[in-house]
Amino acid sequence: KSDPQPVEDPQRVEAMLLRRLQASVDSLSLDAVMRSASLVVIDGRRYRLGHEVTAPAGGQRFVVAEVRQRSVVLEAEGRRFELKMSIPSG
């Protein structure tokens, strides 16, 4: 008699992956956007479309997929995440 292997619920696995990726995105800070030049500044470093960004939390790598007015779309593992500029407190 063999013990059946526990099967992970695909929705649970996906939810855990999304939480991990979102936490990595949340560890980044979008400092500036120069949309006309397809250039963004994240954590003090400049990136262009297609460049790879490594998140400090966990070392997850993202690709700059799209530069928007006040945000950037980062892509990892087939999923897209929007990183927005923080609103300065006055």
Side-chain angles (χ1 to χ4, degrees):
K1 216 176 182 186
S2 64
D3 291 328
Q5 290 290 329
V7 176
E8 287 281 343
D9 175 18
Q11 289 178 329
R12 185 169 176 261
V13 171
E14 178 70 12
M16 287 171 38
L17 174 63
L18 288 175
R19 277 196 301 274
R20 182 176 57 80
L21 292 172
Q22 187 62 58
S24 291
V25 170
D26 292 344
S27 73
L28 297 167
S29 174
L30 181 59
D31 304 322
V33 175
M34 287 154 263
R35 192 171 178 198
S36 61
S38 296
L39 179 76
V40 294
V41 179
I42 299 173
D43 292 339
R45 294 186 171 183
R46 289 181 292 191
Y47 300 94
R48 292 190 183 276
L49 277 176
H51 282 184
E52 197 172 85
V53 178
T54 303
Q60 177 66 47
R61 292 185 176 146
F62 295 90
V63 172
V64 177
E66 186 180 340
V67 177
R68 297 182 175 170
Q69 188 72 29
R70 293 188 50 80
S71 67
V72 61
V73 176
L74 301 175
E75 192 171 286
E77 301 187 35
R79 288 139 185 102
R80 294 166 66 94
F81 300 87
E82 185 176 22
L83 177 62
K84 297 179 180 181
M85 288 185 70
S86 60
I87 299 169
S89 56

